[in-house]
Amino acid sequence: MQLGVIGLGRMGRIVVDRTLDAGHDIVAYDISEEAVESAESAGAEPADSVADLAEKLGDEKRIWLMVPAGEPVDAALEDLEPFLDEDDVVVDGGNSYFEDSVRRAETTESAYLDCGTSGGPAGAELGFSLMVGGPQWAYDELVPVFDAVATGSDGHDRMGKAGSGHYVKMVHNGVEYALMQTYGEGFELLHEGRYDLDLEKVARTWNNGAVIRSWLLELCEEAFREEGTDLGDVADHIAGGSTGTWTVQEALEQEVPVPLIYQALGERFDSRSEGRFSRRLANRLRYGFGRHEVKRE
């Protein structure tokens, strides 16, 4: 099938490459001419504007937005508005707030799919996990693309009506915060405790059959291997926090206790003024799964 992709950053480019590899046709646009030229060299058809992209997609448009959450999504939809009708489908693959997704679904002429995307740049090889909200028919239309972008048919599913995909991804990120905090605290105790331990060895041993094995623990092993047991000059500063804040706010509104997620969010904010080993590990883990910049001392 033919897919238009708007936003060719790290994640958007992965969408392009994986979809091309699966044999689909891509029309690609980004405000960066260099990014468009790079996508063209990979096999995509370039577009020099949103209007040009829409024209090249023809009557039934299937468009994937991979732009930063917030105003950039609204701006892209505004640019697309003159070219969309009820038979078209737009996917928002960014980390949008779920209530924004509900609003956009109600005001966008086309079908609107909110697609929570997990896997980070590692998804270039393995594929993403995709949590999709919106009309069933629109989801069914995009299944060939979802199969290509995700880890396969089991790597994506429709969560429910509009907003549900980004809602599930929001809670996913809250869980991620708590897991990172837990690993950080455990390794901090090992680091400061009574034995002189090689934490890479500990992580590798745990990853082979232990109850707490996981991809995040594999990233702990990678961090200690590359930075050293004491994490070298990795700073005690954890960036991000918006999706965790949304998770805690929603938990308060629904009267659901989430003390671990709340504490992890608090630790993240506190990291901007204090120094702790557990947060230095979380800083490095964000590079492992998302290639986010590692702040250093």
Side-chain angles (χ1 to χ4, degrees):
M1 63 183 296
Q2 187 183 43
L3 179 72
V5 178
I6 298 176
L8 304 175
R10 288 177 301 181
M11 301 288 277
R13 182 56 191 270
I14 293 170
V15 172
V16 168
D17 290 342
R18 290 187 62 84
T19 309
L20 285 171
D21 288 345
H24 302 292
D25 297 323
I26 296 293
V27 181
Y29 172 69
D30 191 279
I31 58 174
S32 166
E33 293 182 5
E34 183 179 347
V36 175
E37 291 172 358
S38 177
E40 181 181 13
S41 68
E45 181 178 1
D48 58 20
S49 66
V50 169
D52 186 37
L53 177 138
E55 182 178 349
K56 290 177 176 177
L57 290 177
D59 292 335
E60 291 189 352
K61 302 172 184 65
R62 307 293 181 254
I63 300 172
W64 191 302
L65 301 180
M66 195 59 93
V67 299
E71 291 183 4
V73 179
D74 290 319
L77 290 173
E78 185 177 347
D79 290 343
L80 283 168
E81 185 177 9
F83 311 103
L84 298 177
D85 61 36
E86 61 185 10
D87 295 323
D88 300 324
V89 181
V90 175
V91 178
D92 175 8
N95 255 342
S96 292
Y97 184 46
F98 75 95
E99 289 189 349
D100 288 339
S101 299
V102 173
R103 169 180 57 80
R104 290 167 184 147
E106 293 173 348
T107 57
T108 302
E109 182 70 19
S110 68
Y112 187 82
L113 297 176
D114 51 287
C115 179
T117 306
S118 181
E125 179 180 352
L126 303 174
F128 294 134
S129 171
L130 304 175
M131 299 140 264
V132 186
Q136 183 71 56
W137 75 266
Y139 171 79
D140 293 341
E141 280 287 310
L142 269 292
V143 162
V145 168
F146 292 144
D147 283 345
V149 175
T151 54
S153 59
D154 289 338
H156 65 87
D157 213 328
R158 177 179 177 267
M159 301 293 106
K161 63 182 181 180
S164 62
H166 283 147
Y167 188 88
V168 172
K169 179 56 164 56
M170 174 187 73
V171 177
H172 161 284
N173 284 20
V175 172
E176 175 190 294
Y177 283 30
L179 289 173
M180 290 169 65
Q181 178 69 18
T182 299
Y183 282 127
E185 291 181 7
F187 278 110
E188 183 169 20
L189 178 57
L190 293 175
H191 182 260
E192 303 294 338
R194 62 182 67 201
Y195 294 101
D196 182 15
L197 298 170
D198 182 331
L199 297 188
E200 180 192 351
K201 289 182 179 179
V202 174
R204 183 173 63 251
T205 303
W206 283 352
N207 270 319
N208 285 274
V211 172
I212 60 171
R213 64 188 183 274
S214 72
W215 184 42
L216 279 176
L217 188 55
E218 291 174 7
L219 296 177
C220 290
E221 181 182 345
E222 174 189 284
F224 294 128
R225 180 173 62 253
E226 296 183 0
E227 306 288 350
T229 281
D230 64 355
L231 293 179
D233 63 352
V234 174
D236 173 14
H237 182 103
I238 314 170
S242 58
T243 49
T245 300
W246 297 341
T247 302
V248 170
Q249 289 172 338
E250 174 67 4
L252 291 171
E253 193 166 322
Q254 300 300 327
E255 299 183 0
V256 174
V258 289
L260 298 181
I261 296 174
Y262 176 79
Q263 181 184 356
L265 179 65
E267 284 285 322
R268 181 167 295 206
F269 292 152
D270 190 46
S271 77
R272 292 150 202 188
S273 59
E274 295 290 335
R276 285 193 60 183
F277 185 89
S278 59
R279 294 194 296 249
R280 292 170 61 208
L281 179 56
N283 176 8
R284 185 53 172 73
L285 289 179
R286 292 184 80 248
Y287 171 79
F289 64 73
R291 292 301 182 259
H292 301 290
E293 179 185 358
V294 179
K295 293 188 179 295
R296 298 184 180 274
E297 296 172 343

